[in-house]
Amino acid sequence: MVTVPSKRPSRRRQLGPPPPLDLDRALGGRRSESAPDGEWTVQRVRGSDKSYTCPGCRQVIPAGLTHVVAWQADGLLGPVAALEDRRHWHPACWEARARRR
């Protein structure tokens, strides 16, 4: 009798422990940051069909460019108003915002 090997993948072929969880990716790139100007919710987003003006350098963020969206987590008018007041930043401008003030 001749046995034919199965074409189904074997579950026993793991080459080691699973890779560590990328928390940033699991949360959709959203994180919280604490800064002298308050608590911020920050999310890295892929570019969209729309262009934005970066509040850090006042330059245009072209459509399609990956950038940072940030809003105050501790806004005075509540979380809905804070989310509506979000701003789109170049990643370098967001990181350097404390030095520009």
Side-chain angles (χ1 to χ4, degrees):
M1 179 173 179
V2 177
T3 59
V4 178
S6 173
K7 293 185 179 184
R8 288 190 290 171
S10 171
R11 292 180 187 236
R12 290 182 256 156
R13 291 189 188 166
Q14 290 186 353
L15 300 175
L21 177 66
D22 183 354
L23 194 56
D24 192 42
R25 184 175 176 197
L27 294 174
R30 188 174 293 183
R31 64 186 186 276
S32 294
E33 287 187 16
S34 192
D37 56 350
E39 297 292 321
W40 292 87
T41 302
V42 182
Q43 184 170 1
R44 192 171 185 104
V45 294
R46 292 184 181 159
S48 65
D49 297 335
K50 188 176 174 183
S51 62
Y52 300 95
T53 300
C54 174
C57 66
R58 309 262 192 256
Q59 300 290 318
V60 173
I61 301 171
L65 187 69
T66 300
H67 60 280
V68 172
V69 179
W71 62 95
Q72 282 200 298
D74 56 355
L76 293 174
L77 301 176
V80 174
L83 182 61
E84 290 174 359
D85 198 33
R86 66 189 177 270
R87 296 290 175 256
H88 298 255
W89 297 71
H90 292 109
C93 293
W94 174 254
E95 295 298 323
R97 76 187 186 286
R99 294 188 299 253
R100 292 182 182 207
R101 293 188 174 198

